[in-house]
Amino acid sequence: MNETASARPVRVLIVDDSAFMRTALARMIASEAGFEVVATASSGTEALEIIAAHDPDVVTLDVQMPGLDGLATLRCIMQRFPRPVIMVSAVTDKDAEITFNALSAGAFDYVPKQLSQASLDIGHIRSDLIAKIRAAAAARRQRAAWASTRKPAQSVGLKAAAVVSAVAPAVVAIGVSTGGPKALQEILPRFPRDFPVPILIVQHMPAGFTGPYAQRLDALCAIAVREASARELIQPATAYIAPAGLHMRVERRLSDSRAIIALDPQPDDVLHIPSVDVLMKSVAAFYGTNALGVIMTGMGSDGAEGMKAIYSAGGLTIGQDEASCTVYGMPRACAELGILARIVPLNDIPAQILQATRRRMPA
């Protein structure tokens, strides 16, 4: 990335049929240093015309709009003017489903707006929105750099001799954030119905989204996928998604020492609830050398401490490579610590997991 490109303001187009939302979002974004609102649009058709004329770096797009709705507008943008699009959606089952369809269609990320008749304040989304716009702009510039160098993606075994173990993993723990909904939708359907171990997943999501997302994945996968419940027995061939607002841990059931799920809002002084670190540290403590940790696309460094705990316990650690990440943040933090045994493209992750678990027979 050259210095001129990095110094240029992030240029944003706001698309929403509500005049109130357009004004509120525009003020919010324009007040941030390094950001510029190039225009606002009240419809999908108008948005397409503005993109063609002004070439914004990032588009924020309302999910529900009359005429050309958010999903149809997104598909037109991806086909005609591909660039990062952040969906701004309400928190309802219907809007959640549309949002997941948008992520599958190429949206970069989403921000939920929780408005009520009693309050139209959307100030609570500011930090989330600004962070995601900044990450989207950076990802676009990074993609341009990747395209110019044309480096072929390849798998890397950093410590191949040290990680070949006769002990097959008894659990897979996955941590993922920005870009995760689409990434998980690509890899989880590739696991067979008799997959011999459980999969525990922390996907950073707001309240109201994890349940519908688990249902969506369950319909696509041969293994069972569900939002985790407290005190349930952890079973093979099942993927458990941590509920929004609760940390997920592995604990030992007193009656027979079998692994169960524990859900708890504490600690509440961390950036993400649920936290990848909280899950993976518990997995490392419970399973030791039988743990397999996977860190995937996402902003920030959540999961670095947890993956380090799995690595230190003798478990296998796999990281998604930079080229296939929507945002190379969480895997980068782990790579820089030197705790990833393997770094592979997204499409290779299922094969790596299946290869590692092939020696473990279904229970």
Side-chain angles (χ1 to χ4, degrees):
M1 186 190 305
N2 62 56
E3 186 174 339
T4 301
S6 62
R8 183 170 63 86
V10 175
R11 303 169 70 251
V12 183
L13 167 64
I14 298 166
V15 187
D16 200 297
D17 66 322
S18 163
F20 163 77
M21 284 297 297
R22 291 196 303 274
T23 300
L25 291 173
R27 288 175 177 169
M28 189 181 297
I29 294 168
S31 68
E32 182 72 15
F35 285 66
E36 175 188 351
V37 177
V38 295
T40 64
S42 60
S43 70
T45 302
E46 183 184 7
L48 296 174
E49 294 173 354
I50 292 174
I51 293 172
H54 294 281
D55 189 29
D57 297 309
V58 181
V59 177
T60 71
L61 181 59
D62 188 19
V63 167
Q64 298 281 7
M65 294 190 299
L68 197 66
D69 65 16
L71 188 56
T73 302
L74 170 70
R75 287 172 174 152
C76 289
I77 293 173
M78 291 298 107
Q79 182 178 11
R80 296 169 56 187
F81 317 105
R83 69 202 55 236
V85 177
I86 296 174
M87 308 303 293
V88 182
S89 67
V91 185
T92 67
D93 286 349
K94 179 181 179 182
D95 285 289
E97 182 63 25
I98 294 172
T99 299
F100 297 137
N101 287 336
L103 293 170
S104 297
F108 178 83
D109 209 335
Y110 64 99
V111 175
K113 55 181 179 184
Q114 296 174 304
L115 303 181
S116 67
Q117 293 181 347
S119 173
L120 294 178
D121 177 32
I122 62 165
H124 62 279
I125 75 169
R126 185 183 189 281
S127 61
D128 192 26
L129 178 65
I130 294 299
K132 289 178 178 179
I133 292 174
R134 182 175 285 111
R140 188 187 191 203
R141 292 167 182 169
Q142 184 62 53
R143 291 291 176 193
W146 272 101
S148 65
T149 57
R150 287 288 183 184
K151 293 180 180 178
Q154 59 182 359
S155 299
V156 178
L158 296 183
K159 300 176 179 63
V163 300
V164 176
S165 170
V167 180
V171 68
V172 177
I174 297 176
V176 63
S177 186
T178 307
K182 183 179 180 182
L184 289 172
Q185 190 170 311
E186 289 182 21
I187 67 170
L188 288 183
R190 293 167 60 185
F191 292 100
R193 188 179 304 275
D194 62 349
F195 187 64
V197 303
I199 302 174
L200 304 175
I201 301 169
V202 167
Q203 160 70 65
H204 296 154
M205 274 187 174
F209 281 80
T210 45
Y213 182 56
Q215 294 171 11
R216 179 186 182 91
L217 288 175
D218 187 62
L220 297 172
C221 296
I223 62 173
V225 183
R226 57 173 170 259
E227 187 178 48
S229 298
R231 317 308 295 174
E232 70 175 308
L233 188 66
I234 298 174
Q235 301 279 7
T238 304
Y240 303 87
I241 298 179
L246 293 170
H247 295 297
M248 180 166 68
R249 293 179 174 87
V250 179
E251 289 187 353
R252 196 175 304 278
R253 190 163 67 179
L254 295 178
S255 61
D256 56 11
S257 295
R258 296 181 69 182
I260 58 173
I261 286 175
L263 300 176
D264 190 336
Q266 299 299 323
D268 61 4
D269 58 349
V270 294
L271 183 59
H272 299 287
I273 304 176
S275 162
V276 180
D277 283 327
V278 169
L279 169 65
M280 289 190 172
K281 286 179 180 179
S282 76
V283 165
F286 190 98
Y287 291 96
T289 58
N290 294 106
L292 194 167
V294 182
I295 195 75
M296 292 167 51
T297 176
M299 293 187 288
S301 60
D302 186 25
E305 292 182 8
M307 289 286 282
K308 182 178 180 181
I310 291 175
Y311 181 83
S312 298
L316 177 61
T317 53
I318 298 173
Q320 185 177 347
D321 75 347
E322 182 174 3
S324 65
C325 281
T326 301
V327 178
Y328 189 57
M330 289 160 56
R332 180 196 295 275
C334 294
E336 290 177 347
L337 288 174
I339 56 173
L340 296 178
R342 302 174 188 175
I343 299 175
V344 301
L346 175 67
N347 286 338
D348 287 352
I349 289 176
Q352 292 284 330
I353 295 173
L354 288 167
Q355 180 185 43
T357 59
R358 73 187 186 279
R359 294 180 303 275
R360 181 172 292 276
M361 299 301 294

